[in-house]
Amino acid sequence: MINLTGKSAIVTGSGRGIGRAIAVKLAELGAAVTICDISEEIASATVSELRQRGLEADYFVLDVADADAARALIEKTAEKRGKLDILVNNAGINRDAMLHKMERKQWDEVIAVNLTGTYNTMQPASIQMREQKSGRIINISSSSWMGNIGQANYAASKAGVIGLTKTASRELAKYNVTVNAICPGFIDTDMTRGVPDKVWDLMISKIPMGRAGAPEDVANLIAFLASDTASYITGEVINIGGGMVL
């Protein structure tokens, strides 16, 4: 059994969807979790639900593209709880368009949140974890990092997350800090439920398991990588896609 009792965790973009499932799973396994979301209403609602279940959680309103706010999150969490054991970078956005129609604003917004936002939390977290000589950093990339029509900005940002993950894993390994990336495929969330039925059916037809993934499928792997059981796994990129290959 995975036991995260006594661990301090931060999950960005965790007010809903995959991030929420991750935060809930870590809290259920005993971690004290900071829910981070750009929406205070969503973040506070998630925390209230966890506290009603007797789980330890608080929230921090965060735009990960704001470097100062991201640093404050890391520093305040470490100060409040005495350490930071787990950082999950899940916050992300998409602004899809074909490359020849993509506006610079669409490019900049996605890179700022998905890639620079991941750096903004990882950089101060790496300082904290080096000093305490322990830690787990798990970054959410995407199967789209290999390229996807209409997602030049998103694919580039998620490919960058993988490069950042692999570099950080080499730099931090000797401090007992692991850094891994997860690449979810087609996961059943509010975002994917918004696609037309024809697109949904097409995506399902490409998945050998014949179904969309659940947010909990991602959360279960995150919990394992965040635990002491996975202490010798670092620098890895793990797909969660039911066998789908883009």
Side-chain angles (χ1 to χ4, degrees), residues 114-149:
N114 298 3
L115 180 54
T116 305
T118 300
Y119 162 82
N120 284 343
T121 56
M122 280 182 68
Q123 199 278 333
S126 70
I127 296 173
Q128 174 66 32
M129 290 179 177
R130 278 170 58 109
E131 290 178 352
Q132 65 191 32
K133 291 184 171 55
S134 66
R136 302 281 184 268
I137 299 174
I138 306 158
N139 298 323
I140 306 299
S141 180
S142 168
S143 57
S144 294
W145 78 269
M146 294 179 287
N148 201 23
I149 292 173

Side-chain angles (χ1 to χ4, degrees), residues 169-235:
S169 71
R170 295 189 175 200
E171 293 184 1
L172 296 172
K174 64 183 178 181
Y175 298 98
N176 195 34
V177 177
T178 66
V179 189
N180 293 288
I182 304 303
C183 294
F186 195 64
I187 307 297
D188 188 352
T189 63
D190 290 343
M191 182 182 296
T192 55
R193 280 291 174 181
V195 304
D197 290 343
K198 288 184 178 180
V199 175
W200 178 276
D201 292 341
L202 176 62
M203 293 303 297
I204 297 301
S205 72
K206 295 180 178 180
I207 303 171
M209 292 191 74
R211 68 171 178 88
E216 289 74 21
D217 292 322
V218 180
N220 289 335
L221 178 56
I222 297 291
F224 168 69
L225 291 174
S227 73
D228 293 339
T229 307
S231 62
Y232 199 59
I233 300 173
T234 194

Side-chain angles (χ1 to χ4, degrees), residues 15 20 39-50 52 59:
R20 183 183 185 280
S39 167
E40 182 171 9
E41 179 181 1
I42 292 174
S44 62
T46 301
V47 168
S48 295
E49 180 182 329
L50 290 174
Q52 287 173 6
Y59 72 87

Side-chain angles (χ1 to χ4, degrees), residues 4-19:
L4 300 179
T5 301
K7 301 292 186 181
S8 168
I10 291 173
V11 185
T12 69
S14 51
R16 57 187 174 183
I18 293 174

Side-chain angles (χ1 to χ4, degrees), residues 1-151:
M1 292 291 292
I2 295 173
N3 188 343
L4 300 179
T5 301
K7 301 292 186 181
S8 168
I10 291 173
V11 185
T12 69
S14 51
R16 57 187 174 183
I18 293 174
R20 183 183 185 280
I22 293 168
V24 169
K25 174 61 69 172
L26 297 183
E28 288 175 341
L29 293 171
V33 180
T34 297
I35 306 290
C36 301
D37 203 278
I38 199 166
S39 167
E40 182 171 9
E41 179 181 1
I42 292 174
S44 62
T46 301
V47 168
S48 295
E49 180 182 329
L50 290 174
R51 287 177 175 173
Q52 287 173 6
R53 295 174 55 190
L55 304 176
E56 187 174 354
D58 55 20
Y59 72 87
F60 191 99
V61 178
L62 176 68
D63 176 358
V64 293
D66 183 337
D68 290 337
R71 181 173 296 278
L73 162 69
I74 300 299
E75 293 177 349
K76 288 181 179 180
T77 300
E79 180 179 355
K80 177 180 180 180
R81 297 180 178 153
K83 59 179 180 174
L84 172 61
D85 299 298
I86 303 161
L87 170 64
V88 182
N89 283 302
N90 171 75
I93 62 171
N94 64 316
R95 301 286 185 268
D96 295 351
M98 297 295 283
L99 182 59
H100 67 284
K101 294 182 178 180
M102 184 173 291
E103 298 177 1
R104 179 57 185 266
K105 181 180 180 182
Q106 293 172 296
W107 174 270
D108 288 345
E109 287 179 348
V110 170
I111 296 298
V113 173
N114 298 3
L115 180 54
T116 305
T118 300
Y119 162 82
N120 284 343
T121 56
M122 280 182 68
Q123 199 278 333
S126 70
I127 296 173
Q128 174 66 32
M129 290 179 177
R130 278 170 58 109
E131 290 178 352
Q132 65 191 32
K133 291 184 171 55
S134 66
R136 302 281 184 268
I137 299 174
I138 306 158
N139 298 323
I140 306 299
S141 180
S142 168
S143 57
S144 294
W145 78 269
M146 294 179 287
N148 201 23
I149 292 173
Q151 289 193 315

